[in-house]
Amino acid sequence: MALMGQMMAMPLLISSLIQHAARHSGETEIVSKRCEGDLHRYTWRDAERRSRQVAQALGRLGLSPGDRVATLAWNGYRHLELYYGSSGSGLVCHTINPRLFPEQIIWISQDANDKVLCFDLGFLPLVEKLSAQLPGIQHYVLMSDRAHMPAASSIPNLLCYEELVEAEDGHYCWPEFDENTASSICYTSGTTGHPKGAVYSHRSSVLHAYGSALPDAMDCSSKDVILPVVPMFHVNAWGLPYSSAIVGAKLVFPGPHLDGKSLYELFETEGVTFSAGVPTVWLGLLTYVKSNGLKFSSFKRTVIGGSACPPAMLASLMDDFGVEVIHAWGMTELSPLGTLSKLTSKQLALPVEQQRRILEKQGKVIFGIDMAVINDEGQALPWDAQSSGNLVVRGHWVISSYFGEQRSPLVAVDGQPGWFPTGDVATIDADGFMQITDRSKDVIKSGGEWISSIDLENIAMAHPAVHEAAAIACAHPKWDERPLLVVVKKPDAQVTREELLAFFEGRIAKWQIPDDVAFVAEIPHTATGKIQKLKLREQFKSYRLPSA
Ligand code: ADP
């Protein structure tokens, strides 16, 4: 008979993260730019006490374990308290992306069966518009103080967050329960159809926080000052509210102020060392910093993910500003981190140019995640940097099913079931560095051969006149599809279609060079700041390529 281990079985609970931070980094600050306009500061110790008061207040509203507490809020300390106060007390925190269309917000909230909706001051008009269509919501909580409450509002039972919190004494013990209990729910942004809910557990969230803080992942420590630019409504700000608590880092929340100037000022005044966000955010920040001839004095490294980080952006941050870029790949279904690109000791000896090619990849898995690339028959492909296939993953923080769906999304690899198909197409090299070629639905299929839209975008983004670029498939009578490059020029920059197409020569195989360039004033983005390829393809549906 097997000998069983004789160790304590302490459940992995989210409340333990903030208790740890309060006890061991109690003096460390959490600074928030508030919706009200001012800067708020307090400590992890204060945050834990107030999270207990939030737990008490939510209990007093009559919620029972498993009930969903929805938020429509920017990054800030009250949002953090709701994260911990709801999950920590056995409720489920449901962060809603306020940038979604109102119909999507209604759909998501009804699907999740939200009981309470807590929202920032700036979203009062939005919630007033929506509340009539949210019959399931029993309580609306405005995340502000009495002075900012509206004199009159169409919202039924509108409560004041500060009043609710201050009415509680904080004499509350975080309950202990099964670590597999749901802690939070996030919806995919719906770029591929109806949004779907990913229900995280306490166990998966704590393990994700542990893993993502590791040195070869986000490398977080108590010496860091972390500013998550990635919103707390975008896959829990990639877990940073949890991993910061584990390591006891100072947190800086930008609130709704995400423009280049506001971010830069906050980076400088608070001594931010580490940040994370999607490429479009860095586009804005870099434009501001460059056009004003500024430098960063404390900013050391950043995680960029959510969509491919253009090599030109990586080079600019590293060479012009000395900021280390950690390119990461993940998705809502993975809580979200799967892989990050950091050089191994062997690679440190390589010439810089070769190192750059490695850092541009999406990187290696964190321990706890397993990956493979497979062909359409479900056979694993070799890790040779060449064989491109469907990327599948499994691990401690990967969903096994979607909220409310009976059908399992999982597939088999070489006959072994239990792998989650990501919908991404990728290669893996012999060192285990994964590189995304495309999302399977964004790949451009020309005469049976695949052209990576990401490759085309990366080249275009390296042209000095290009602010943003997207490559999409355009119908072609002979080749089925051919690439069309959609470009937003930098303000005042001059470049012609011919010059841009000539820029591709020698940088990619000739047959992969786009057939045409369309200059536009703006490229549509999803609610999480990614290029909306679906919309772009619709926009150019009847576009006739000159070669067609
Ligand atoms: P949605 O799928 O609804 O847009 P997610 O934020 O979960 O929301 O998106 C995950 C997808 O984003 C991945 O499947 C992948 O296609 C893309 N992605 C994320 N990180 C990267 C990256 N570093 N490079 C390329 N694509 C990425």
Side-chain angles (χ1 to χ4, degrees):
M1 212 170 68
L3 176 66
M4 299 308 287
Q6 296 175 328
M7 309 307 286
M8 294 182 189
M10 264 171 72
L12 298 171
L13 295 177
I14 282 179
S15 56
S16 67
L17 302 176
I18 197 159
Q19 280 182 284
H20 176 83
R23 230 175 258 143
H24 302 281
S25 312
E27 306 282 294
T28 304
E29 274 188 311
I30 297 171
V31 181
S32 310
K33 196 95 172 255
R34 285 205 278 206
C35 297
E36 292 91 333
D38 57 348
L39 211 58
H40 171 272
R41 321 181 156 264
Y42 71 171
T43 63
W44 275 109
R45 186 171 299 131
D46 301 325
E48 196 264 343
R49 177 179 41 80
R50 296 233 323 164
S51 300
R52 272 186 273 126
Q53 289 170 284
V54 168
Q56 287 179 304
L58 291 171
R60 206 174 293 282
L61 293 180
L63 301 183
S64 349
D67 279 348
R68 267 71 83 190
V69 177
T71 64
L72 269 174
W74 300 106
N75 293 4
Y77 69 104
R78 292 184 182 121
H79 206 173
L80 184 80
E81 293 162 5
L82 280 163
Y83 262 46
Y84 283 103
S86 60
S87 303
S89 62
L91 301 169
V92 179
C93 184
H94 174 204
T95 48
I96 305 180
N97 186 337
R99 292 186 184 130
L100 293 170
F101 292 122
E103 310 81 70
Q104 282 178 307
I105 296 180
I106 292 165
W107 190 91
I108 284 177
S109 179
Q110 286 177 347
D111 189 63
N113 196 9
D114 296 328
K115 289 280 188 319
V116 182
L117 176 61
C118 306
F119 58 97
D120 271 344
L121 199 52
F123 299 124
L124 181 62
L126 175 68
V127 177
E128 284 184 330
K129 214 168 71 188
L130 298 185
S131 63
Q133 294 166 78
L134 293 170
I137 305 275
Q138 293 164 2
H139 306 280
Y140 289 89
V141 181
L142 179 59
M143 292 161 66
S144 192
D145 53 16
R146 177 47 55 191
H148 290 87
M149 293 297 285
S153 171
S154 59
I155 302 172
N157 306 324
L158 183 61
L159 301 168
C160 168
Y161 183 86
E162 287 303 327
E163 281 184 349
L164 290 180
V165 173
E166 280 157 22
E168 304 298 336
D169 58 13
H171 294 307
Y172 177 84
C173 284
W174 294 111
E176 204 167 282
F177 43 78
D178 185 338
E179 63 181 15
N180 292 302
T181 305
S183 60
S184 53
I185 176 165
C186 288
Y187 279 75
T188 60
S189 52
T191 41
T192 51
H194 247 322
K196 291 177 183 169
V199 185
Y200 310 130
S201 68
H202 282 257
R203 175 187 161 80
S204 71
S205 304
V206 171
L207 289 175
H208 177 269
Y210 251 124
S212 61
L214 285 172
D216 281 320
M218 296 210 277
D219 190 13
C220 298
S221 88
S222 59
K223 294 168 210 70
D224 274 316
V225 179
I226 302 179
L227 187 151
V229 180
V230 51
M232 290 169 78
F233 54 74
H234 186 197
V235 213
N236 293 333
W238 301 351
L240 285 169
Y242 303 134
S243 33
S244 309
I246 284 194
V247 300
K250 171 176 166 181
L251 264 177
V252 181
F253 288 127
H257 312 280
L258 297 173
D259 59 290
K261 181 171 188 285
S262 309
L263 279 178
Y264 177 77
E265 286 169 4
L266 205 53
F267 270 66
E268 288 303 299
T269 52
E270 296 304 322
V272 171
T273 60
F274 174 59
S275 186
V278 296
T280 37
V281 181
W282 303 116
L283 221 52
L285 184 59
L286 282 177
T287 306
Y288 174 78
V289 175
K290 277 185 185 164
S291 55
N292 290 284
L294 303 167
K295 289 274 175 218
F296 293 105
S297 51
S298 56
F299 188 23
K300 298 224 168 42
R301 61 187 204 291
T302 184
V303 167
I304 300 185
S307 43
C309 172
M313 179 181 287
L314 188 140
S316 176
L317 274 162
M318 297 196 50
D319 300 335
D320 305 339
F321 298 103
V323 176
E324 181 193 357
V325 173
I326 308 165
H327 191 194
W329 168 88
M331 56 198 308
T332 306
E333 290 88 337
L334 270 83
S335 319
L337 283 180
T339 67
L340 299 102
S341 203
K342 284 262 198 124
L343 298 176
T344 62
S345 57
K346 166 179 109 176
Q347 293 162 340
L348 287 175
L350 293 173
V352 171
E353 271 316 298
Q354 278 184 46
Q355 291 183 344
R356 282 295 157 85
R357 298 294 88 75
I358 296 166
L359 293 175
E360 286 161 12
K361 298 188 177 198
Q362 278 74 7
K364 285 168 78 92
V365 288
I366 308 173
F367 170 75
I369 297 285
D370 205 0
M371 69 177 168
V373 278
I374 60 172
N375 61 18
D376 289 341
E377 285 72 51
Q379 290 157 331
L381 299 172
W383 291 20
D384 58 7
Q386 300 298 325
S387 310
S388 120
N390 304 310
L391 179 68
V392 295
V393 292
R394 61 179 182 185
H396 303 302
W397 50 87
V398 181
I399 62 155
S400 58
S401 58
Y402 286 103
F403 180 63
E405 279 193 12
Q406 295 301 321
R407 202 173 57 87
S408 167
L410 307 186
V411 298
V413 173
D414 290 334
Q416 292 284 334
W419 294 79
F420 176 77
T422 64
D424 288 323
V425 180
T427 60
I428 306 176
D429 69 20
D431 294 316
F433 283 74
M434 185 272 287
Q435 182 159 29
I436 302 270
T437 336
D438 238 320
R439 280 190 163 196
S440 50
K441 54 203 171 299
D442 294 339
V443 149
I444 302 158
K445 295 178 187 118
S446 166
E449 298 285 344
W450 287 12
I451 302 175
S452 152
S453 66
I454 293 179
D455 283 352
L456 300 181
E457 286 154 12
N458 284 347
I459 294 171
M461 291 291 286
H463 191 287
V466 173
H467 174 69
E468 197 171 21
I472 53 165
C474 225
H476 192 281
K478 179 165 175 205
W479 302 107
D480 263 351
E481 292 178 356
R482 287 294 301 158
L484 167 70
L485 190 71
V486 184
V487 168
V488 180
K489 282 191 272 194
K490 280 192 183 146
D492 306 326
Q494 289 305 324
V495 67
T496 63
R497 164 189 185 276
E498 286 69 29
E499 283 163 352
L500 258 185
L501 293 180
F503 188 69
F504 279 82
E505 281 174 32
R507 292 183 161 90
I508 200 163
K510 232 180 161 56
W511 65 272
Q512 300 187 334
I513 297 178
D515 279 20
D516 203 6
V517 181
F519 292 102
V520 295
E522 210 181 339
I523 285 176
H525 290 106
T526 66
T528 49
K530 304 181 192 200
I531 292 175
Q532 221 170 2
K533 293 270 174 87
L534 195 68
K535 190 149 177 207
L536 213 51
R537 281 197 292 266
E538 266 163 32
Q539 203 174 314
F540 284 90
K541 204 165 63 193
S542 36
Y543 191 85
R544 240 183 104 75
L545 293 167
S547 58

